[in-house]
Amino acid sequence: MGEVLTNIWDKILRTFQQGNNPLWRHWFEQLEPLSLDGGILRIGVAEESWRQYLHQRCSEGLTSAAQKITGHFVTIEYAMPGERTEADKQIAEQAKPHDNEITYFNPDYTFDNFVVGPSNRLAHAACVAVSESPGETYNPLFIHGSVGLGKTHLMQAACQALKKRNHDYNILYLTCESFVNDFVRALRHGDLYDFRYKYRHVDVLVIDDIQFLTEKEQSQEEFFHTFNSLYQSRKQIIISADSPPSEIPRLEDRLVSRFNQGLVTRIDNPAYETRMAILYNKAALRGINPPEDVISFIAERIVSNTRELEGALTKVYGYAMLGNGEITMELARQALGVESIPRHSQITISQIIDVVTEHFNVKLSDLQSKRRSRSIAYPRQICMYLARELTRHSLEEIGGHFGGRDHTTVMHSCRNIDNLCDHDQAVRELVDSLVARLTKN
């Protein structure tokens, strides 16, 4: 039965991966089939975070795959070493989400899987410090930044590190919306005592998206007293928001003051090198190994946040799974909707500048200046577009040739020319003619 069960499980995993590649993680290969009896497939997992991830994110897909492979109705249970079936059922029931309360930590969200760069170095260091000395080093810790930059990752990483350090730590991690909903429910049912006991008798309180308190006077009042109770007891408080405390609209001054008395740190958009490292990290988590030029291609075009980087990688991987499984530059361009122009390693930015300045009758000093008139800005954008398409220079390097402009300016220029090529035949023909001149040899 052992070899047969292993073969069945391997087929289930392959079927699940084909239909759910965004959920696939490299550690799935370490899951061990224990038994298939009475319509119950028991799978051994090595870590509690793995089991919670499987319960929350993968149960439907794995169950569907199991039923497809076996041809029978199958229920999947996940077991830690030495556990009994009854215990699994209890844990599965406990793992069901209630409202918006976060009931598990994503196993991907650890410090080891977080890519540190100039944009997030302080926030990362602060979360590590908090995980080592909760309630002492930075309390409260307030992290702010736009969506998809890693706030949730860092907070969950701190929680998981704390749990590993001391399994008995009582950590309450939830969204601010959950806190408000819980408070409203307590008011409605007269359960304020239980509510306050729940929130004020924890070792660590972690609240995501605190800006949700805006215009909720009673909730702000309750959170203020909860904050004071925990702070005076030297319990750790970690908070995230999309902006610093003073810029959250209609947030009471006393709360702003409390948040500012600890460490307030910002996470910015990742630089090109950090985006590259993030993509390599995300690829490794899924057990895939895209070529370096594909990683560079995605990093150059997705400049906003980690979430969009991961989405682009997922899309490229999805396209590969539909074909022969090979990830190539041409496939990446197709997946991300970018028209392919062959790159020529012998072409330099200086050659591109020579051709463009001759065509538009402008000087290099004009292209490198701060002037924004169309007669200068347009040929400058053409130069940047051609440099991106015909050379392997990074966006930062391209910007450096045009007066030290940053990567976002280069990306904006490239998108503008892309859009013009799509909607203006004259621009398309001009770009094609310039490319022809540059590649004729």
Side-chain angles (χ1 to χ4, degrees), residues 222-275:
E222 186 63 32
F223 187 79
F224 174 78
H225 294 298
T226 297
F227 182 101
N228 283 344
S229 176
L230 293 172
Y231 183 79
Q232 291 166 6
S233 301
R234 301 178 65 84
K235 305 300 183 182
Q236 182 65 51
I237 304 166
I238 308 175
I239 299 168
S240 80
D242 57 7
S243 56
S246 59
E247 295 181 16
I248 298 176
R250 292 174 292 283
L251 187 66
E252 292 183 5
D253 290 342
R254 57 180 179 173
L255 277 177
V256 173
S257 175
R258 293 297 190 279
F259 296 159
N260 281 327
Q261 71 187 30
L263 175 65
V264 177
T265 178
R266 183 177 71 186
I267 299 181
D268 294 314
N269 288 352
Y272 170 76
E273 292 79 6
T274 306
R275 298 197 299 274

Side-chain angles (χ1 to χ4, degrees), residues 388-402:
R388 185 197 68 178
E389 295 299 331
L390 299 177
T391 76
R392 295 189 179 278
H393 289 291
S394 69
L395 299 180
E396 283 83 354
E397 291 170 335
I398 294 171
H401 282 77
F402 297 93

Side-chain angles (χ1 to χ4, degrees), residues 1-9 33-38 40-41:
M1 178 66 178
E3 184 175 350
V4 173
L5 179 58
T6 299
N7 290 336
I8 290 174
W9 176 241
L34 301 178
S35 63
L36 177 57
D37 183 41
I40 298 177
L41 174 60

Side-chain angles (χ1 to χ4, degrees), residues 340-379:
S340 179
I341 297 178
R343 291 178 182 262
H344 297 264
S345 58
Q346 73 273 19
I347 295 177
T348 66
I349 294 181
S350 294
Q351 290 174 313
I352 293 172
I353 291 173
D354 289 342
V355 168
V356 173
T357 53
E358 179 185 346
H359 178 85
F360 287 97
N361 192 26
V362 295
K363 299 177 182 178
L364 172 58
S365 58
D366 291 330
L367 298 182
Q368 294 176 330
S369 70
K370 301 297 183 182
R371 294 174 58 186
R372 297 183 179 180
S373 61
R374 176 168 173 76
S375 62
I376 300 302
Y378 181 53

Side-chain angles (χ1 to χ4, degrees), residues 2-145:
E3 184 175 350
V4 173
L5 179 58
T6 299
N7 290 336
I8 290 174
W9 176 241
D10 185 64
K11 291 178 181 178
I12 291 172
L13 280 182
R14 300 287 80 79
T15 302
F16 172 83
Q17 184 179 14
Q18 290 174 5
N20 302 271
N21 67 76
L23 300 177
W24 181 264
R25 295 295 180 266
H26 67 91
W27 48 263
F28 281 22
E29 303 288 355
Q30 300 178 45
L31 300 174
E32 180 184 2
L34 301 178
S35 63
L36 177 57
D37 183 41
I40 298 177
L41 174 60
R42 285 173 54 77
I43 303 300
V45 297
E47 297 184 17
E48 177 61 27
S49 61
W50 294 6
R51 171 163 56 187
Q52 293 173 343
Y53 180 83
L54 292 167
H55 272 309
Q56 294 285 344
R57 306 288 299 279
C58 306
S59 285
E60 183 177 350
L62 284 171
T63 300
S64 176
Q67 292 173 4
K68 181 177 181 179
I69 296 302
T70 64
H72 301 287
F73 182 81
V74 176
T75 299
I76 299 180
E77 294 183 352
Y78 311 102
M80 295 285 286
E83 288 185 337
R84 298 176 300 175
T85 305
E86 291 77 13
D88 291 338
K89 291 179 179 178
Q90 291 176 2
I91 292 172
E93 181 64 29
Q94 292 171 359
K96 293 180 180 178
H98 299 283
D99 298 325
N100 294 315
E101 186 169 340
I102 298 172
T103 57
Y104 79 105
F105 297 122
N106 190 324
D108 295 346
Y109 289 173
T110 64
F111 288 132
D112 289 340
N113 291 335
F114 189 82
V115 177
V116 182
S119 61
N120 56 34
R121 195 177 306 279
L122 177 57
H124 171 266
C127 285
V128 171
V130 162
S131 72
E132 295 173 347
S133 303
E136 299 177 7
T137 309
Y138 302 115
N139 197 26
L141 173 58
F142 191 105
I143 306 172
H144 67 93

